[in-house]
Amino acid sequence: MKPALLLSALFLVVARAAPLPVDEALPLVGAAGHGHTYPGATVPFGFVQLSPDTRTEGWDACSGYHYSDSTIMGFSHTHLSGTGAADLGQVLIMPFTGGLDEGAGYKPLAAERFQSRFSHDDEKAQPGYYRVSLTSYSITAELTATAHAGMHRYAFPASEQGHLLVDLVHGINNPPTGADLKIENDHLVTGYRSSDGWARNKTVYFVIECSRAFESFGLEVDDKPLEPGLTEAKGKNVRCHLDYRTSAGQAIVLRVGLSPTSLEEARENLQTEIPTWDFDAIRESARAAWNENLARIRVDSSNPNIRQTFYSALYHTMTAPTLYDNADGSYRGTDNVVRSSGFHHYSTFSLWDTFRAEHPLLTLTEPERVNDFVRSLLAFYQESPDHVLPLWPLTSCDTECMIGYHAVPVIYDAYRKGFRGFDAELAYRAMCDTARSGRNWQDEYQKLGYVSAETGKGKQAASRTLEFAFDDWCIAQMARALGKTGDFESFIKRSQSYAATFDPATGFFRGRTARGSFREPFDPRAVSFDDFTEANAWQYAFSVPHDVPGMIKLYGGDQSFIRKLDQLFESDSDIGNYLIDVSGLVGQYSHGNEPCHHIAYLYALAGAQYKTAQRVRQIMLTQYDNTPEGLDGNDDCGQISAWYVWSAMGLYPVNPADGVYVIGSPLVEKATINLDPKYYAGGSFTIIAHGVSKQNGYVQSAKLNGQALNRPWITHEELVKGGTLVLDMGVLPNRSWGAEN
Amino acid sequence: MKPALLLSALFLVVARAAPLPVDEALPLVGAAGHGHTYPGATVPFGFVQLSPDTRTEGWDACSGYHYSDSTIMGFSHTHLSGTGAADLGQVLIMPFTGGLDEGAGYKPLAAERFQSRFSHDDEKAQPGYYRVSLTSYSITAELTATAHAGMHRYAFPASEQGHLLVDLVHGINNPPTGADLKIENDHLVTGYRSSDGWARNKTVYFVIECSRAFESFGLEVDDKPLEPGLTEAKGKNVRCHLDYRTSAGQAIVLRVGLSPTSLEEARENLQTEIPTWDFDAIRESARAAWNENLARIRVDSSNPNIRQTFYSALYHTMTAPTLYDNADGSYRGTDNVVRSSGFHHYSTFSLWDTFRAEHPLLTLTEPERVNDFVRSLLAFYQESPDHVLPLWPLTSCDTECMIGYHAVPVIYDAYRKGFRGFDAELAYRAMCDTARSGRNWQDEYQKLGYVSAETGKGKQAASRTLEFAFDDWCIAQMARALGKTGDFESFIKRSQSYAATFDPATGFFRGRTARGSFREPFDPRAVSFDDFTEANAWQYAFSVPHDVPGMIKLYGGDQSFIRKLDQLFESDSDIGNYLIDVSGLVGQYSHGNEPCHHIAYLYALAGAQYKTAQRVRQIMLTQYDNTPEGLDGNDDCGQISAWYVWSAMGLYPVNPADGVYVIGSPLVEKATINLDPKYYAGGSFTIIAHGVSKQNGYVQSAKLNGQALNRPWITHEELVKGGTLVLDMGVLPNRSWGAEN
């Protein structure tokens, strides 16, 4: 036996490197089912979304990609994330090999012809980067993006017949109305594409630079080839192919600048943002931008599913609104005038969805953009012929989709939280003009005190009344803040209109005719657009976020209000006339659509926080995961995702504009919101959930900055001054915690 | 422009290789929270479970490993999977480097002293294989196993002071009572370890062969070193170290044979099962064995979480019962006599748990073991002094844990399904003797018609009455099958005893005193061991799986029975006196403990299959995942896992012994049960869930082998004759499907 050395066992503390937020975010979450997300490359809030198109027809083509597909028709430069209506998919490029014609005669260069098979096993989607093997051609395609430009890298096999297709006909519910495509020289192609669609009358200009000169090319208009020698194609349906002799492993890189205003600006955007041929450098910039944005909320969880679900959701809250301008800030207004603005102009506001939780979240995670969001909405107001705030602006067009005037809460929430980078008086005028316009039954609402129900007209009368009332509450608050006392009185009165559409006999908000009676027949489960918006009476039964005590009174007090909430969740899920939007059902509650999003948090405001905790947990665990199936309905530009971001941290803005965050049931062990010191003095706010696990979901007690917290909410001011909220979590409900409000 | 070749786009169909089942099974599922699984290496139903021990104290040490730990004290050879009581952890080996003594004087070689830090980032757990970096020593440890032997491979750094610790003191609730450790030569160590614990009076014999000769060694008894030169240590507390000079990358391989009967058999087991030093070959055999077993059910799902959760669950259903014998079939009986049996002897039967869904599953997935399971139980009966079937046999000891006599349903289910490899008359005698024994109030139950409630005695009276009644139903069926008409009458009458403990006034099964009144005070939420077993009256309110129509009648018919079920799930989760076993709460339903497991399926037997679908979905999605947090309570030797295996396929054996599988809501797109042709003629049975997704969970219609199926269940006979069950799944409930029974 050898003498033993006097040495204690060595305990090396190996710091476990936490994964970077950017590595936890999975763009493919939501790409199956009806999530309608796209997997391609973009930067936060970028104008360009360079992503594979696998289909262009049908509801599940809204983002151009569906996870169940097995072929790709090419990579186009603009896409919508999570919407229920389709558009964009502009300027498609597809690499392929082989001959161009089949049999006798000329065959048009349609993207459908050249689509390639692909497998999810050979596909990688990361924030700012997408790669896929186009197995039909043995080509590896990689994509990355900047705000106004896209970059492609295509690794071809050795081939005498390598090609790039540029297809300006292709689009997603976006038929071309005119185009130009010019071969400037052997490595430069420029042009524009005008189109109609959901957003009417839009044009995108582009320059495509190729790292290697093509050897030949072919242009086509209206499915007919142009004469050899001609270098410019103009017309409605324009395509071209660029031809290469390729050798294995030799990549062709493309950099593509886009602009909504001019070819010159497209060139400028490209030069400003992609001055290099180094694909990996641009990819790294996109990755760094994402990581910087995603790290604004740091969450700890030992459960990788939860971390990935969280960061995938946070990622998707940063895919809209999107820039609709040039790198220098010039943009095309809804009046078709190009302006230099001094701010960055955004569009793609899915306001009926995103006013609820996404815009309140962005006031914390993206404060540097909030003033520009508001300025962009106000520009729409100023430039629109009707002088109203837009409903659902996309490109420079208001699609006028959905109801309400929910630009109002977005603007008021920003103002309430101290954002002053816009003209408040102008904002207030915009609110009032919109609320008083005759556009969408606002006039009738003002006269009658509610929007009247009429069968078969799709008036969505009860929903309009409820949502107008909430928006009016926001205008009233804005009026008060600006010292307009008379207006405050007038709008606060309007904000009580919700009561006019409540039927105490059935205990539901209902469609009410102009003569005052409630519309018959009535079935609270029946989904229709008669009295409700993509919903039924159950799903709109709690749509008074601005006056919860008043709503509780309508239902007869806390206890019967709680019973009503219980019934919502405990009924079976028969919804009469099935509508695909009404998904994510828990009883009659529909999480896959937006009107229900605040409802589980209402228990807390009626003295039963533990019931909020239970339902919020159930929804997080059943309606989300870290797979392509991970969203239970259209993400709607990030609202479904924003619900999860808030809820997994343990908070939710029940009233999206009053700066109160109701406490639910955090899933993560710790969440730190890192506040931008340019906007908030507090540094950071941390929520710690002691003892939390999948099983431990009930708040036992809470401390805010070391002081006992008994109410089930905190204010925006408490949050942004920084500090720590500690929640002690347990497996059983503590019915007394948070019972006082 | 070049002339284009006439060549159509090439569509290569790339077959996507489905992952192997063995690669989808994650042993770490359940290792966090209170799942109590272990991550180490074992083969299906093996005697050896070679796994890291991170703790030995406290409830969450039952498997020796908890995911929240960051240090490993060594690798011991026997472990329990998912139990709520601790034992085993025998024969610990730990590689380490450095000096042995600290400061002045001799320091005992306790495993605690030499524990190493580790990180989950450098840990890999696969069926049959475990690898971890012991970062305190820069040692990589790998483990694999056969049925009766373990294999270790330790890659040391270059060191003058490399050691292996063999610690026979270490155990998990398993204090040593005697041991022997002999240095046979410079590469062979043999011995035994006797111990007490949950299972009393057990001995394991072992031989440890080292691939490289050690240079020196040290033996220790009762924390004192043996004189140099002595080569055998005998006593209560025995340990040794083996010393090496190691060079980087040069691995030391150990092969360790174990036996419950003798050193000679340990040697035999090792020679039979690990005749090689090729670690990778043994690892590959273990992997192949697992893949063969796991592939007995093939499931398709595009959701990787679901596939992994499924195969992790299926894996865990194959970690118990475990062999308790030698490779040649000899074993140690509970009477301490070693016998050669002609069959493989199993122990570790967590019967109160596993009779419900795991044993019925094993009749399909492991038919070649079913006869031996029964023979092993009957051997216990024959060899036990009281001539009763065991309650919870572990090693050769009946721990007598939990209630009922649930060996009975396991045996009857096997008989009912046609297994004839045991003596049916003997089995029947064993059933009767156990049911009529005076051991656990069976005598009082027989006399009174129920077990009487007595405060503070832990009699679990209502639970016993209910579970005895079910077991008696099984005996009645066995009697009928054997033509014993009189006994049938007698036991079928006993099986109705459940009604005697039902209180119509409160609508609950309750503890009833010997005088006939119900015990007061009564709170259906209060968990105790007075009248119930690890549960409250709510959780036992539906414990009549053998007479569902009779139970429905007690509750006043289908509609009020359904309301009662609704109340169970919809109540809040306050359970009065908290007990940690009662986890996985959905209202008062507790999925983390076993008495509730069949309950969600009862709706289907009362005409509301859609409610079964809804609750089963909710439970699958909230109580399981593919992470260490993926089990919501003790796996209990695989019962929690078995529930998922059945449920994800869309079936469940509500009555564990009547061969009826109730249809719930499949999560997977397709499940094929590959039936062993030696036991079943049918080939395979496939369940196809058309249109299934996380959102589409309601059965719209069904076809069995092409014929419309309107009842919400199939029989064992229908399943094992092979065929296809097609379920059309939709997002909304179809209340009429399955409404007729």
Side-chain angles (χ1 to χ4, degrees):
Chain A
M1 211 175 310
K2 290 166 58 184
L5 261 184
L6 304 181
L7 182 68
S8 68
L10 189 64
F11 284 78
L12 278 177
V13 179
V14 177
R16 183 176 167 198
L20 292 175
V22 71
D23 291 325
E24 307 261 24
L26 310 174
L28 276 165
V29 168
H34 307 301
H36 293 186
T37 59
Y38 61 80
T42 189
V43 293
F45 308 94
F47 172 51
V48 164
Q49 302 84 22
L50 178 52
S51 189
D53 288 339
T54 65
R55 63 170 80 176
T56 58
E57 299 295 327
W59 195 54
D60 286 334
C62 286
S63 77
Y65 179 96
H66 196 271
Y67 195 74
S68 63
D69 293 334
S70 53
T71 58
I72 285 174
M73 51 184 81
F75 306 101
S76 66
H77 288 77
T78 56
H79 292 89
L80 290 165
S81 184
T83 56
D87 204 330
L88 307 183
Q90 294 159 308
V91 189
L92 177 131
I93 295 178
M94 177 68 178
F96 64 100
T97 57
L100 293 168
D101 300 341
E102 298 161 26
Y106 182 79
K107 294 277 186 286
L109 301 166
E112 296 75 34
R113 245 182 90 194
F114 301 110
Q115 56 194 305
S116 169
R117 296 195 68 86
F118 77 105
S119 156
H120 297 303
D121 293 339
D122 297 311
E123 182 186 38
K124 182 170 200 160
Q126 292 178 325
Y129 177 70
Y130 178 82
R131 186 189 73 213
V132 70
S133 294
L134 300 171
T135 54
S136 301
Y137 304 113
S138 302
I139 291 171
T140 299
E142 295 173 285
L143 312 173
T144 188
T146 63
H148 301 84
M151 201 165 192
H152 311 230
R153 181 162 65 187
Y154 297 128
F156 277 77
S159 173
E160 294 293 303
Q161 295 184 307
H163 307 282
L164 297 176
L165 170 70
V166 181
D167 186 345
L168 302 184
V169 182
H170 171 96
I172 306 163
N173 182 29
N174 185 348
T177 53
D180 180 83
L181 209 163
K182 191 172 173 188
I183 309 296
E184 303 261 8
N185 57 44
D186 65 3
H187 59 272
L188 179 62
V189 178
T190 62
Y192 69 81
R193 178 182 190 276
S194 297
S195 58
D196 220 324
W198 186 29
R200 294 169 309 282
N201 189 25
K202 53 192 175 285
T203 297
V204 61
Y205 296 86
F206 61 87
V207 296
I208 303 171
E209 289 182 17
C210 308
S211 64
R212 282 182 53 209
F214 37 90
E215 303 189 7
S216 56
F217 62 89
L219 289 159
E220 170 188 297
V221 176
D222 292 339
D223 296 344
K224 304 272 186 309
L226 246 60
E227 293 288 312
L230 295 182
T231 58
E232 184 168 10
K234 263 180 186 285
K236 194 167 145 194
N237 300 302
V238 174
R239 303 182 180 103
C240 80
H241 59 87
L242 312 175
D243 310 318
Y244 287 91
R245 261 195 296 253
T246 57
S247 53
Q250 190 184 14
I252 296 172
V253 177
L254 307 182
R255 46 190 196 193
V256 181
L258 285 94
S259 164
T261 62
S262 71
L263 195 53
E264 201 37 59
E265 288 283 5
R267 232 185 281 271
E268 278 292 321
N269 289 340
L270 182 58
Q271 277 161 17
T272 306
E273 296 181 359
I274 310 191
T276 173
W277 287 105
D278 185 346
F279 180 93
D280 294 323
I282 300 300
R283 175 187 172 188
E284 192 44 52
S285 298
R287 177 179 161 83
W290 275 113
N291 198 56
E292 194 274 312
N293 276 258
L294 294 167
R296 294 175 186 186
I297 304 181
R298 290 306 293 256
V299 296
D300 290 354
S301 170
S302 61
N303 188 319
N305 288 12
I306 292 173
R307 290 199 312 269
Q308 290 180 351
T309 306
F310 181 89
Y311 279 111
S312 303
L314 188 58
Y315 169 84
H316 281 120
T317 68
M318 296 172 176
T319 56
T322 54
L323 288 168
Y324 192 67
D325 70 354
N326 295 307
D328 64 9
S330 58
Y331 73 98
R332 180 182 301 276
T334 191
D335 56 0
N336 211 21
V337 174
V338 176
R339 292 179 178 79
S340 282
S341 62
F343 64 93
H344 277 293
H345 190 269
Y346 290 87
S347 189
T348 317
F349 286 88
S350 188
L351 289 165
W352 182 77
D353 308 297
T354 54
F355 87 89
R356 300 168 198 267
E358 181 168 348
H359 277 287
L361 179 67
L362 296 177
T363 65
L364 299 174
T365 56
E366 300 288 336
E368 76 273 28
R369 297 180 203 266
V370 169
N371 286 315
D372 285 359
F373 293 159
V374 175
R375 286 189 194 109
S376 302
L377 294 168
L378 295 179
F380 259 98
Y381 158 73
Q382 290 179 290
E383 295 155 9
S384 77
D386 302 332
H387 267 48
V388 287
L389 287 162
L391 281 165
W392 209 125
L394 172 61
T395 68
S396 58
C397 170
D398 184 4
T399 66
E400 297 186 39
C401 188
M402 310 309 286
I403 66 162
Y405 22 99
H406 299 313
V408 166
V410 173
I411 298 170
Y412 171 64
D413 188 45
Y415 188 80
R416 191 215 161 285
K417 290 175 176 169
F419 291 89
R420 292 293 181 271
F422 53 89
D423 179 340
E425 289 290 341
L426 171 67
Y428 182 70
R429 268 201 318 281
M431 291 176 174
C432 291
D433 286 353
T434 307
R436 289 174 179 143
S437 90
R439 189 157 63 153
N440 291 307
W441 291 282
Q442 280 101 315
D443 46 352
E444 187 194 59
Y445 162 81
Q446 198 163 352
K447 207 169 61 191
L448 264 186
Y450 58 92
V451 177
S452 74
E454 294 178 83
T455 307
K457 285 212 170 176
K459 268 181 88 175
Q460 310 162 51
S463 291
R464 279 189 209 273
T465 301
L466 289 162
E467 298 193 16
F468 290 176
F470 166 68
D471 292 339
D472 290 341
W473 179 88
C474 296
I475 302 176
Q477 305 309 312
M478 188 78 180
R480 183 158 63 181
L482 296 177
K484 299 171 196 294
T485 319
D487 279 11
F488 169 75
E489 295 299 339
S490 149
F491 277 104
I492 207 75
K493 183 156 168 279
R494 277 174 60 139
S495 80
Q496 292 291 309
S497 305
Y498 70 86
T501 199
F502 186 77
D503 170 25
T506 56
F508 282 99
F509 296 104
R510 293 178 57 181
R512 192 173 172 189
T513 67
R515 316 180 90 189
S517 60
F518 290 98
R519 204 174 63 78
E520 298 292 347
F522 174 66
D523 174 359
R525 296 161 169 266
V527 168
S528 83
F529 281 89
D530 269 343
D531 297 335
F532 298 100
T533 302
E534 280 182 6
N536 63 18
W538 265 119
Q539 288 142 18
Y540 264 95
F542 304 95
S543 293
V544 191
H546 58 291
D547 185 14
V548 175
M551 171 168 57
I552 291 175
K553 216 171 282 168
L554 285 183
Y555 282 108
D558 281 351
Q559 291 319 306
S560 54
F561 181 71
I562 289 169
R563 271 198 301 280
K564 187 83 179 180
L565 287 167
D566 284 347
Q567 282 170 29
L568 172 77
F569 288 109
E570 293 170 1
S571 297
D572 73 51
S573 294
D574 185 348
I575 53 167
N577 324 312
Y578 174 59
L579 185 74
I580 199 167
D581 288 282
V582 184
S583 60
L585 290 159
V586 180
Q588 290 287 310
Y589 173 94
S590 165
H591 191 75
N593 207 15
E594 276 70 12
C596 290
H597 276 188
H598 64 301
I599 295 178
Y601 287 91
L602 291 173
Y603 282 115
L605 300 178
Q609 199 280 340
Y610 69 102
K611 284 183 176 256
T612 286
Q614 187 242 317
R615 287 296 173 189
V616 165
R617 275 287 167 128
Q618 179 185 353
I619 296 163
M620 285 191 281
L621 294 174
T622 59
Q623 307 299 320
Y624 294 86
D625 67 31
N626 58 336
T627 75
E629 259 201 300
L631 298 176
D632 60 357
N634 298 163
D635 196 28
D636 287 320
C637 291
Q639 167 60 24
I640 299 266
S641 290
W643 189 94
Y644 189 88
V645 170
W646 281 109
S647 295
M649 292 194 292
L651 301 174
Y652 194 79
V654 167
N655 177 336
D658 73 348
V660 169
Y661 304 131
V662 176
I663 296 170
S665 177
L667 264 189
V668 299
E669 290 145 29
K670 185 174 163 190
T672 298
I673 303 171
N674 295 307
L675 298 160
D676 184 338
K678 288 200 291 298
Y679 296 87
Y680 300 113
S684 67
F685 187 80
T686 297
I687 301 154
I688 293 170
H690 269 153
V692 75
S693 68
K694 270 185 72 184
Q695 291 300 312
N696 289 9
Y698 290 105
V699 181
Q700 307 298 306
S701 64
K703 281 190 176 166
L704 180 62
N705 299 324
Q707 301 293 307
L709 181 80
N710 295 314
R711 55 179 152 88
W713 45 270
I714 60 169
T715 65
H716 178 74
E717 286 64 36
E718 287 169 335
L719 192 156
V720 298
K721 84 173 185 210
T724 305
L725 173 65
V726 177
L727 302 172
D728 273 311
M729 306 301 291
V731 70
L732 300 185
N734 174 2
R735 279 180 281 200
S736 66
W737 186 79
E740 291 161 45
N741 264 277
Chain B
M1 213 177 312
K2 291 167 55 184
L5 261 184
L6 305 182
L7 182 70
S8 69
L10 190 65
F11 285 77
L12 277 177
V13 179
V14 177
R16 185 177 165 194
L20 292 175
V22 72
D23 291 325
E24 307 262 25
L26 310 174
L28 276 165
V29 168
H34 307 301
H36 293 187
T37 58
Y38 61 80
T42 188
V43 293
F45 308 94
F47 173 51
V48 164
Q49 302 83 22
L50 178 52
S51 189
D53 288 340
T54 64
R55 64 170 80 176
T56 58
E57 299 295 329
W59 195 54
D60 287 333
C62 286
S63 76
Y65 180 96
H66 197 270
Y67 196 74
S68 63
D69 292 335
S70 54
T71 58
I72 284 173
M73 51 182 81
F75 307 100
S76 67
H77 288 76
T78 56
H79 292 90
L80 291 165
S81 183
T83 56
D87 204 331
L88 307 183
Q90 294 159 308
V91 189
L92 177 130
I93 295 178
M94 176 68 178
F96 64 101
T97 58
L100 293 166
D101 299 340
E102 298 162 25
Y106 182 80
K107 295 277 184 286
L109 300 166
E112 296 74 33
R113 243 182 91 194
F114 301 110
Q115 56 194 306
S116 169
R117 297 194 68 85
F118 77 106
S119 155
H120 298 303
D121 294 338
D122 297 310
E123 181 185 38
K124 183 170 199 160
Q126 293 177 324
Y129 176 69
Y130 178 83
R131 186 189 73 214
V132 71
S133 295
L134 301 171
T135 54
S136 301
Y137 304 114
S138 301
I139 291 171
T140 298
E142 294 173 285
L143 312 172
T144 187
T146 63
H148 301 85
M151 200 166 193
H152 311 229
R153 181 162 66 187
Y154 297 129
F156 277 78
S159 173
E160 293 293 303
Q161 296 183 304
H163 307 282
L164 297 176
L165 169 70
V166 181
D167 185 345
L168 303 184
V169 182
H170 171 97
I172 306 163
N173 182 29
N174 184 348
T177 53
D180 179 82
L181 208 162
K182 190 170 175 190
I183 309 294
E184 303 262 6
N185 57 44
D186 64 4
H187 59 273
L188 179 63
V189 178
T190 62
Y192 68 81
R193 177 181 190 275
S194 296
S195 58
D196 221 323
W198 184 29
R200 295 171 307 279
N201 189 25
K202 52 192 175 286
T203 298
V204 61
Y205 298 85
F206 61 88
V207 297
I208 303 171
E209 290 183 18
C210 308
S211 63
R212 282 182 54 207
F214 38 89
E215 302 190 7
S216 56
F217 61 89
L219 290 159
E220 169 188 300
V221 176
D222 292 339
D223 296 344
K224 303 272 187 308
L226 245 62
E227 293 287 314
L230 294 182
T231 59
E232 184 168 11
K234 263 182 187 281
K236 194 167 147 197
N237 301 304
V238 173
R239 303 182 181 104
C240 80
H241 59 88
L242 313 175
D243 311 318
Y244 288 91
R245 260 196 296 254
T246 58
S247 54
Q250 190 181 14
I252 297 171
V253 176
L254 308 182
R255 43 191 198 192
V256 181
L258 286 95
S259 164
T261 62
S262 71
L263 196 52
E264 201 37 59
E265 289 281 6
R267 232 184 280 272
E268 279 291 320
N269 289 341
L270 182 57
Q271 278 160 18
T272 307
E273 297 181 359
I274 310 190
T276 175
W277 287 106
D278 184 348
F279 180 92
D280 294 324
I282 300 301
R283 175 188 172 187
E284 191 44 50
S285 298
R287 176 179 161 82
W290 274 114
N291 198 55
E292 194 274 312
N293 276 259
L294 294 168
R296 294 176 186 185
I297 304 182
R298 290 305 295 256
V299 296
D300 290 353
S301 170
S302 61
N303 188 318
N305 289 13
I306 292 173
R307 290 198 312 268
Q308 291 179 351
T309 306
F310 181 89
Y311 279 111
S312 303
L314 188 59
Y315 169 85
H316 282 120
T317 68
M318 296 172 176
T319 56
T322 54
L323 289 168
Y324 192 67
D325 70 354
N326 295 307
D328 64 9
S330 59
Y331 74 98
R332 180 182 300 277
T334 193
D335 56 0
N336 212 19
V337 174
V338 175
R339 291 178 178 81
S340 281
S341 61
F343 65 93
H344 279 291
H345 190 269
Y346 290 88
S347 191
T348 317
F349 286 88
S350 189
L351 290 165
W352 182 77
D353 308 297
T354 54
F355 86 88
R356 300 168 198 267
E358 181 168 348
H359 277 287
L361 179 67
L362 296 177
T363 65
L364 298 175
T365 57
E366 300 289 335
E368 77 273 28
R369 297 180 202 267
V370 168
N371 285 315
D372 285 359
F373 293 159
V374 175
R375 286 190 193 108
S376 301
L377 293 168
L378 296 179
F380 259 98
Y381 159 74
Q382 290 179 291
E383 295 155 9
S384 77
D386 302 333
H387 267 46
V388 287
L389 287 161
L391 281 165
W392 209 126
L394 172 61
T395 68
S396 58
C397 170
D398 185 3
T399 66
E400 298 186 39
C401 187
M402 311 310 286
I403 66 162
Y405 22 100
H406 299 313
V408 167
V410 173
I411 298 169
Y412 170 64
D413 187 46
Y415 187 81
R416 191 217 161 285
K417 290 176 176 170
F419 292 90
R420 292 293 181 270
F422 54 88
D423 180 340
E425 289 291 341
L426 171 67
Y428 182 70
R429 268 204 315 284
M431 291 175 174
C432 292
D433 286 355
T434 307
R436 290 174 179 143
S437 90
R439 187 157 67 153
N440 290 307
W441 290 283
Q442 280 100 315
D443 46 353
E444 186 194 60
Y445 163 80
Q446 198 163 353
K447 208 169 58 190
L448 263 186
Y450 57 94
V451 177
S452 75
E454 294 179 83
T455 307
K457 287 213 170 177
K459 268 180 88 173
Q460 311 161 51
S463 291
R464 279 191 210 272
T465 301
L466 289 162
E467 299 192 13
F468 290 176
F470 166 68
D471 292 339
D472 289 342
W473 179 88
C474 296
I475 303 176
Q477 304 310 311
M478 188 78 180
R480 183 160 62 181
L482 297 176
K484 299 173 196 293
T485 319
D487 280 10
F488 169 76
E489 296 298 339
S490 149
F491 276 104
I492 207 77
K493 184 157 166 277
R494 277 175 59 138
S495 79
Q496 293 290 309
S497 305
Y498 69 85
T501 199
F502 186 77
D503 170 25
T506 56
F508 282 99
F509 296 105
R510 293 178 56 181
R512 192 173 173 188
T513 68
R515 314 179 90 189
S517 61
F518 290 99
R519 203 174 64 78
E520 299 290 349
F522 174 66
D523 174 359
R525 295 161 170 266
V527 168
S528 84
F529 281 89
D530 269 342
D531 297 335
F532 299 99
T533 303
E534 279 181 7
N536 62 17
W538 265 119
Q539 288 143 19
Y540 264 94
F542 303 96
S543 293
V544 191
H546 58 291
D547 186 13
V548 175
M551 171 169 56
I552 290 174
K553 217 171 281 167
L554 285 183
Y555 283 108
D558 282 349
Q559 290 319 305
S560 53
F561 181 72
I562 289 170
R563 271 198 302 280
K564 187 82 180 179
L565 288 167
D566 284 346
Q567 283 169 29
L568 173 78
F569 288 108
E570 293 169 3
S571 298
D572 73 53
S573 294
D574 185 348
I575 54 167
N577 324 311
Y578 175 58
L579 185 75
I580 199 167
D581 288 283
V582 184
S583 59
L585 290 160
V586 179
Q588 290 287 310
Y589 174 94
S590 165
H591 192 75
N593 207 14
E594 276 71 13
C596 290
H597 274 189
H598 64 301
I599 295 179
Y601 287 90
L602 292 173
Y603 282 116
L605 300 178
Q609 199 280 340
Y610 69 103
K611 283 181 176 258
T612 287
Q614 187 242 317
R615 287 297 173 189
V616 164
R617 275 285 167 129
Q618 179 185 354
I619 295 163
M620 286 192 281
L621 293 174
T622 58
Q623 308 298 320
Y624 294 86
D625 68 32
N626 59 335
T627 76
E629 259 200 299
L631 298 175
D632 61 358
N634 298 163
D635 196 28
D636 288 317
C637 291
Q639 168 58 24
I640 299 267
S641 290
W643 188 95
Y644 188 90
V645 170
W646 282 109
S647 295
M649 292 195 292
L651 301 175
Y652 195 80
V654 167
N655 177 336
D658 72 347
V660 170
Y661 305 131
V662 177
I663 296 171
S665 177
L667 264 189
V668 299
E669 289 144 30
K670 186 175 164 190
T672 298
I673 304 171
N674 295 307
L675 299 160
D676 185 338
K678 290 201 289 298
Y679 296 87
Y680 300 113
S684 67
F685 188 80
T686 297
I687 301 153
I688 293 171
H690 268 154
V692 75
S693 68
K694 272 185 70 185
Q695 290 299 313
N696 288 7
Y698 291 105
V699 181
Q700 307 297 306
S701 65
K703 281 190 177 168
L704 180 62
N705 299 325
Q707 301 293 307
L709 182 80
N710 296 315
R711 56 176 152 88
W713 45 269
I714 60 169
T715 66
H716 179 74
E717 287 64 37
E718 287 168 336
L719 192 156
V720 299
K721 85 174 184 208
T724 305
L725 174 64
V726 176
L727 302 171
D728 273 311
M729 305 300 291
V731 71
L732 299 185
N734 173 3
R735 280 180 280 200
S736 66
W737 186 79
E740 291 161 44
N741 266 278

